[in-house]
Structures are given as structure tokens and as C-alpha cells.
Amino acid sequence: MSLKKSILFLAVLVSLTSCVSNKKIAYFQYDEIDQAKVSNNYKTIFKPDDLLQITISSEDLKAVKPFNLPAVTFNTTTDAVVGQPRQQSYLIDSKGEIDFPILGKLKIGGLTREETIHLLKSKLDPDYVKDPNINIRISNFKISVMGDVKKPGTYNIPNERVSIIDAIALAGDLNISGRRDNVMIQREIDNKKIQYRVDLRSNKLNTSPVFYLQQNDIVYVEHNNAAIQSASYNQNTGLFISIGSVLISLIAVLTR
């Protein structure tokens, strides 16, 4: 084979091996969407270590004041308040409880927002506050995106509603070498780590129970085989060169 033909053959081979099939990287490319199974109803379920901001309002401002305590910081020397008072937050403990003013310990771990609001209303009305309006939000709602993405990290979600597609967008999308067919979502349910696997290429993703993420969920994107092999090759390149140099030296000595 001539030198020109050899170079052309190598160029074609490199181009073929470097191309990535569109079917391996495009999202939502197959499977019909079963609209009957698609749900836009997202329910926040409160868990231990959630930090809640709970605001009670009513026409009777005096009645709700004891339930909206400000969080303040004092100067240890002068006992003066430092900075502006903030809304008191309530940490759900390992038992799923919060310590709420006047009402005491309330078990809300495992409840949805609507169920927690109903519980508080039943405790407040009519003995303390008539027709209270209750607002609850998680102030430390976050998710983590790891693995073969452009910007891995932990992201705070202020509105508590985030899909797996939103999470991937926050992380700058997957790298070309990231596996789209086997993305893992790890979630803690009842103190147990549960893992789910989803295929971003399939429209069935829209009906997955983890399409909407919950607080502290972890999204992990695996590297594909080519990336793993390439990383392994790069790590061993120096070793291969050294071994090759030794072998060439030995051959040169033996053939003299």
C-alpha cells in the first residue's frame, strides 16, 4: 500500500471512530408519550433536615403574632440586636418533628405541604387563630448533579419544583461522553437510599416517578465506555512508552 493510500485509510478510520451516532445523544427521540400517565402534580414531602419557613397570617394580627417569631442575633457584649430580624425557621429533626411556638412538638415528616397546612389549621382554629392563612416553604431545598456533566455541583432550588431536565440544564448539559441511557437518581425514602434509572432518550421519561426531583436528590451521569477506555489509556501512556523504550533497547542489543 502506498504512503498516500495509507494516510487516506487512516484519516477515514479516525473519522469513523470519532463520530458519535445521533441516536446515542439526542433526547426524547423515541417512544410515544402516554398522556394518561403524565402528571404535572408535584407534591413536596417534608423530610428530616428540611428547614421550613412557616408564616401564619389572619385578619387578627395580634392573634398570629406569637406564631411568627422573628429570629434575631444579639451582640454578646451589649445584648443589642445585630442586623435585621428574620423569619424564624424550623428544622425537622430525625424523628420528623418540629418545635412550633405554643403548639409544641408537631410530627410533619412524611407529610405533604397540603397535609401539614391542614394539621396546623386544625391545631390553630378556633382556639388560637380563626381562619388562619398558612404558607410553608423549604428554605434549604437543593439537588446535586454529578458525573459526566459540564458543571457538576449542588444547586439550590428556590421554588421547590425542579425536573430532571431542569437539573441537567443547571449543570450545563451532559458532555458528549455522558451516558444518556442510564442516568441514576438517588433518593432517600424512610431513611433508605433508593436508586432509579432513567433513559433521557426516551419519552417515557415524562412518566417516570423521578421526573420531578425532591429535595436532596442526587443525579449521577455515567461516562460511556469510550471515555473510560480513553481515560485508562491516558493514565497508562507513560508506562507504555517506558516499556516500549526498554523493549526497543533490548531488541537493538540482541540483534547486534
Side-chain angles (χ1 to χ4, degrees), residues 43-61:
K43 293 183 178 180
T44 299
I45 299 174
F46 297 133
K47 305 175 183 179
D49 297 326
D50 285 349
L51 193 61
L52 307 182
Q53 290 185 343
I54 303 176
T55 304
I56 313 294
S57 58
S58 171
E59 292 182 0
D60 189 346
L61 298 180

Side-chain angles (χ1 to χ4, degrees), residues 41 47 50 62-63 65 102 153 164 217 227 233:
N41 295 325
K47 305 175 183 179
D50 285 349
K62 186 176 180 181
K65 187 176 180 180
I102 300 177
I164 186 172
D217 277 0
Y233 173 77

Side-chain angles (χ1 to χ4, degrees), residues 1 22 53 67 122 151:
M1 186 182 289
N22 185 58
Q53 290 185 343
F67 302 100
S122 68
K151 297 185 296 182

Side-chain angles (χ1 to χ4, degrees), residues 34-48:
D34 187 348
Q35 296 294 340
K37 295 182 179 180
V38 175
S39 175
N40 291 320
N41 295 325
Y42 171 72
K43 293 183 178 180
T44 299
I45 299 174
F46 297 133
K47 305 175 183 179

Side-chain angles (χ1 to χ4, degrees), residues 35-229:
Q35 296 294 340
K37 295 182 179 180
V38 175
S39 175
N40 291 320
N41 295 325
Y42 171 72
K43 293 183 178 180
T44 299
I45 299 174
F46 297 133
K47 305 175 183 179
D49 297 326
D50 285 349
L51 193 61
L52 307 182
Q53 290 185 343
I54 303 176
T55 304
I56 313 294
S57 58
S58 171
E59 292 182 0
D60 189 346
L61 298 180
K62 186 176 180 181
V64 299
K65 187 176 180 180
F67 302 100
N68 294 291
L69 298 179
V72 295
T73 303
F74 292 94
N75 185 305
T76 56
T77 303
T78 64
D79 286 335
V81 174
V82 178
Q84 294 292 324
R86 296 173 289 104
Q87 177 72 34
Q88 179 70 270
S89 295
Y90 303 92
L91 181 68
I92 302 179
D93 64 22
S94 59
K95 297 179 181 179
E97 298 178 338
I98 61 170
D99 194 358
F100 200 69
I102 300 177
L103 302 181
K105 293 284 187 179
L106 297 175
K107 185 172 179 58
I108 63 172
L111 300 184
T112 64
R113 187 191 314 277
E114 292 74 18
E115 290 169 340
T116 303
I117 289 174
H118 178 76
L119 173 65
L120 285 169
K121 282 186 176 181
S122 68
K123 298 286 186 180
L124 293 171
D125 188 9
D127 295 335
Y128 299 103
V129 181
K130 186 171 178 58
D131 297 325
N133 184 18
I134 301 171
N135 181 269
I136 306 175
R137 65 177 297 268
I138 303 174
S139 59
N140 64 341
F141 193 111
K142 65 182 185 297
I143 52 101
S144 297
V145 186
M146 304 169 59
D148 204 355
V149 294
K150 291 184 173 66
K151 297 185 296 182
T154 297
Y155 296 90
N156 294 316
I157 311 298
N159 62 0
E160 303 176 19
R161 181 184 172 98
V162 57
S163 71
I164 186 172
I165 299 301
D166 296 327
I168 289 170
L170 286 171
D173 203 356
L174 277 67
N175 295 316
I176 291 298
S177 55
R179 288 188 62 178
R180 285 145 175 81
D181 63 329
N182 196 34
V183 176
M184 184 199 77
I185 293 87
Q186 179 170 289
R187 174 173 296 173
E188 184 172 319
I189 301 176
D190 297 329
N191 295 319
K192 295 180 180 179
K193 305 292 185 182
I194 308 297
Q195 292 183 351
Y196 302 83
R197 300 278 176 171
V198 298
D199 186 348
L200 300 180
R201 303 169 307 163
S202 170
N203 281 313
K204 288 183 178 179
L205 176 67
N206 293 278
T207 62
S208 169
V210 292
F211 180 76
Y212 286 109
L213 301 178
Q214 295 184 9
Q215 62 273 38
N216 303 316
D217 277 0
I218 298 173
V219 179
Y220 177 70
V221 178
E222 296 180 0
H223 301 275
N224 62 24
N225 289 333
I228 294 171
Q229 291 172 3

